[in-house]
Amino acid sequence: MTETTQLTLADRVDLPCGAALNNRLMKSAMSEALGDADHRPTEALVRLYRQWAAGGYGLVVTGNVMVDRRHLGEPGNVVIEDDRDLALLRAWARTCAGTGTAIWMQLNHPGRQSNPLGRVRPVAPSAIAAGVPGASTPRELTGAEIHDIITRFDTAAAVAEEAGFDGVQIHAAHGYLITQFLSPSANRRTDEWGGDPVRRRRFLLEIVRAIRARVSPGFAVAVKLNSADFQRGGFSEDESREVVRALTAERVDLIEISGGSYESPAMMGAAASTIAREAYFLEYARTVAGIAATVPVAVTGGFRTPSAMTSAVAAGDCDVVGIGRPVCLLPAAGRAVLDDTIDRLPSHTVTLPLADRFARLRPIQSLLDLQWYTDQLHRMGAGKDPDIGRPWWRTAVSATLRNGTDLLRPKRG
C-alpha cells in the first residue's frame, strides 16, 4: 500500500499555465489607495510592496487596479488604460524580483460601486442602485460599452505583463462590476449578457478569453470569485459552482474564493451567522474541490492561526491560503507562519459607539473597519510601523480626507 504524503504550506503550487508558486501562502488583494492624483503608482506603493515581497509569501496580489479612470472604486486607485506609466509599473513589479515571490496585478471595474465623488454617472449591467450609503442609480451599459470594457481588461493585462508582473487576477467578487453581471438581483438584462446563469457569466468568461489571447502562455490568469453574495435573490452558491466549472474549462490558473459585497459584507468579517469556522469560505471551497480539480483553489477570509491554515491545505480543502488584514499589521506574516514563530496572526475590528443599538450606524462601522486597515497601509507606505491602537475617530478623519464626506454619510432613497 502506497503511503499518501500530506501537503504542507511550504509546498510549491504548479499552475496550469506552467508557472509555479514557491509556497501556498498568498498575500491577498487589499485596495491601497496609494496612487497619485493621475492614478499612477507612487514611491509609497513601492515601499509598501517591498515589505510584502520580503514577507515569505508564495504569491502577492496587488490591490484593485482600475481599467477606466472615469470609474474608480476610490480616489487613490491606480489605473491602467495604456502603457503611459510603464516605467512606474515596472518599479512596482520589481519589488518582488529575486525574492521567490510571484506578484499578480488585480484588475477591476467598480460598476455601480464607483466612488460617490466620481464625475460621471456609474455604469452597471442594469439601472439598479446598490444598497449602500451614498449609492446612486447607475446607467445601464450598452452592448458596445460592454465590449469596450472587455478590451480595457485585456489591454491592462498586456501592460501588466510588459511591466514585469507574473500574472493578473480578475476581480469578480465583492459587488464590483463583474459580480453585478453574475448576480440576478443586479443584472436584469434579457440580451446576450443576462437573463439566465449562462448569459450572466458570459461577461466574466469573455474577459478571461480576451486576456488569455493577449498575454503569453506562461503568464498567469486568475479569478477572484464570490461563493455567494449573501443577498436574497442574488448570486448563490449553486450558481457560483457553475461559474467555477466554466472557469476550469477555460484553464484559469487560480480561483480565489471569497464572498459578500458592500451590501452584505461577509468579506469584512461580518459573515453570515451560519459560518462558524475560522475560515469563512472553507466549507464552500470543499464543495468545489472536485469541480476545479485541475485548477488550484485559494480561500481568503478569516484565517488567523497557522494550525487552521495547515489543516486546510493538508485536508485538501484548498490549495492556497489567502491572508488579508493581518499583513497590514504584520508584513512578514507569511514568514512567521512558515517558520512557526507565531500562534495567531494579529487583527483588529473597529467598534463604533452605539452601532450595536442603531442599525443606521452599522454600514458606517463596516466602512470604518475597512478604512482603518487602509490607514495601516498608508503608514507602511510612509515608512512607519503599523499602529494597532489607532482609534476609530482618527480613521474617520483620514477616511473623510481621502474619500470625501459622502463616504461616511448614509443617504435615503
Side-chain angles (χ1 to χ4, degrees):
M1 181 176 178
T2 303
E3 184 177 345
T4 301
T5 302
Q6 286 187 331
L7 291 170
T8 72
L9 295 171
D11 288 325
R12 62 181 270 163
V13 183
D14 293 317
L15 306 177
C17 69
L21 308 179
N22 283 340
N23 65 54
R24 293 171 182 264
L25 292 177
M26 171 179 73
K27 194 289 298 181
S28 297
M30 289 169 291
S31 189
E32 313 92 358
L34 281 171
D36 67 14
D38 293 320
H39 310 296
R40 301 174 301 186
T42 59
E43 180 56 34
L45 196 60
V46 170
R47 192 180 296 117
L48 172 63
Y49 273 79
R50 286 196 189 116
Q51 297 184 57
W52 286 330
Y57 311 99
L59 172 63
V60 164
V61 184
T62 74
N64 46 21
V65 171
M66 297 297 167
V67 299
D68 188 335
R69 66 187 61 248
R70 297 169 299 176
H71 301 281
L72 305 175
E74 52 197 328
N77 288 146
V78 172
V79 176
I80 296 180
E81 294 179 318
D82 48 45
D83 64 358
R84 75 185 75 172
D85 300 319
L86 194 57
L88 296 171
L89 292 167
R90 282 178 173 148
W92 191 5
R94 280 198 300 267
T95 57
C96 288
T99 66
T101 297
I103 181 168
W104 294 356
M105 179 184 288
Q106 186 184 79
L107 301 179
N108 193 11
H109 189 299
R112 68 183 188 181
Q113 287 187 175
S114 293
N115 184 273
L117 299 182
R119 296 179 180 179
V120 300
R121 185 178 176 185
V123 295
S126 300
I128 301 170
V132 296
S136 58
T137 301
R139 177 177 60 79
E140 182 174 301
L141 287 161
T142 67
E145 288 173 322
I146 292 171
H147 284 288
D148 174 71
I149 293 172
I150 293 170
T151 299
R152 287 175 176 275
F153 271 92
D154 72 62
T155 297
V159 173
E161 182 179 23
E162 188 176 359
F165 287 85
D166 301 298
V168 292
Q169 182 189 68
I170 303 163
H171 200 336
H174 300 175
Y176 293 110
L177 182 61
I178 298 176
T179 320
Q180 293 159 30
F181 270 91
L182 291 171
S183 172
S185 63
N187 182 354
R188 305 287 178 83
R189 304 176 74 99
T190 57
D191 60 4
E192 64 267 38
W193 304 104
D196 57 51
V198 173
R199 286 180 286 174
R200 285 196 295 271
R201 62 177 174 259
R202 181 187 170 196
F203 182 59
L204 169 58
L205 296 181
E206 291 294 340
I207 290 172
V208 170
R209 292 164 186 161
I211 291 176
R212 181 49 73 202
R214 284 286 298 270
V215 300
S216 302
F219 187 76
V221 180
V223 174
K224 185 168 189 172
L225 181 70
N226 270 2
S227 60
D229 58 22
F230 303 107
Q231 291 179 279
R232 182 176 297 175
F235 188 60
S236 68
E237 289 192 359
D238 286 341
E239 281 197 37
S240 181
R241 276 185 279 270
E242 290 306 307
V243 175
V244 169
R245 195 183 306 278
L247 291 172
T248 301
E250 298 293 332
R251 290 185 58 79
V252 298
D253 291 291
L254 182 76
I255 299 173
E256 180 187 359
I257 301 299
S258 190
S261 68
Y262 291 95
E263 297 171 87
S264 184
M267 78 288 189
M268 298 178 190
S273 59
T274 56
I275 300 172
R277 296 182 61 91
E278 177 177 321
Y280 309 146
F281 309 111
L282 200 57
E283 185 175 342
Y284 167 81
R286 193 178 298 119
T287 71
V288 302
I291 298 172
T294 60
V295 175
V297 173
V299 171
T300 298
F303 277 113
R304 294 294 180 265
T305 64
S307 59
M309 300 176 198
T310 299
S311 296
V313 168
D317 294 336
C318 63
D319 301 288
V320 175
V321 170
I323 306 175
R325 293 182 171 196
V327 308
C328 303
L329 302 173
L330 181 64
R335 183 70 58 205
V337 170
L338 291 174
D339 292 346
D340 197 24
T341 60
I342 195 167
D343 293 326
R344 186 177 185 86
L345 296 178
S347 62
H348 176 83
T349 301
V350 168
T351 301
L352 189 65
L354 302 179
D356 58 335
R357 295 177 56 189
F358 298 100
R360 184 180 177 85
L361 294 176
R362 290 171 197 158
I364 298 175
Q365 178 173 271
S366 293
L367 287 169
L368 279 174
D369 205 37
L370 285 176
Q371 294 296 320
W372 187 91
Y373 282 92
T374 302
D375 283 352
Q376 307 302 330
L377 299 183
H378 282 236
R379 289 182 61 85
M380 292 162 63
K384 302 176 182 178
D385 292 331
D387 176 18
I388 198 167
R390 187 174 181 83
W392 68 267
W393 60 266
R394 292 193 67 181
T395 289
V397 172
S398 61
T400 300
L401 291 174
R402 277 197 300 269
N403 300 280
T405 55
D406 279 0
L407 179 71
L408 302 176
R409 184 172 68 244
K411 293 184 178 181
R412 297 183 183 276

